Amino acid sequence: MTIANKAAALLQLIRFDKPIGTLLLLWPTLWALWIAAGGVPDTDLLIIFIVGTFLMRSAGCVANDLADRNLDGSVERTKGRPLVTGAVSTGEATLFGLILCLIAFILVLFTNNLTIMMSLPGAALAATYPLMKR
């Protein structure tokens, strides 16, 4: 598989072509930032939370596909997902998801201590959600 094909498969894994999930998460995030700031939040916080929302939604898609990898092949809507087709291996998906989370956590380190501490249970919820929908 070429690098371009692998990159395309990873983009498919994070549903890059379907931004509605990111937008649905971003909307309440931006509202919370505006309310907490009492107006327009600092640009650096906006960037951190916008990029972080995209990264964590992407990591959530990876976690979902890892949890459902043995079921997705039996469902018409999901049978073409990269883990089902073999375009991305379980190990590659796991590593990619961890890298996405690590980058998101590095971004959180540029915020205050309360936000850093609150990010830990948030990450745990994101990681376990796919297992709880059964």
Side-chain angles (χ1 to χ4, degrees):
M1 178 175 276
T2 67
I3 292 174
N5 289 345
K6 185 61 75 174
L10 291 173
L11 288 174
Q12 183 184 6
L13 183 67
I14 64 169
R15 318 281 197 283
F16 189 77
D17 61 328
K18 297 174 183 169
I20 189 66
T22 299
L23 296 174
L24 287 170
L25 292 172
L26 190 57
W27 188 249
T29 301
L30 293 178
W31 269 100
L33 282 174
W34 251 260
I35 291 168
V40 179
D42 293 338
T43 303
D44 57 338
L45 280 180
L46 276 173
I47 292 169
I48 288 168
F49 278 86
I50 290 169
V51 174
T53 299
F54 170 77
L55 291 169
M56 287 308 295
R57 188 274 181 149
S58 298
C61 290
V62 173
N64 181 71
D65 283 10
L66 284 167
D68 291 346
R69 69 186 177 277
N70 296 323
L71 302 171
D72 282 346
S74 302
V75 178
E76 185 66 30
R77 181 180 64 83
T78 58
K79 69 181 183 181
R81 288 187 175 168
L83 281 169
V84 175
T85 64
V88 175
S89 72
T90 301
E92 290 169 333
T94 302
L95 179 62
F96 189 48
L98 289 173
I99 289 169
L100 292 167
C101 288
L102 177 63
I103 296 168
F105 186 68
I106 290 169
L107 284 175
V108 169
L109 294 176
F110 290 97
T111 65
N112 61 34
N113 286 336
L114 178 61
T115 305
I116 294 167
M117 295 307 294
M118 290 175 66
S119 74
L120 300 175
L125 284 171
T128 57
Y129 169 76
L131 304 173
M132 295 182 189
K133 62 181 183 170
R134 308 211 180 287

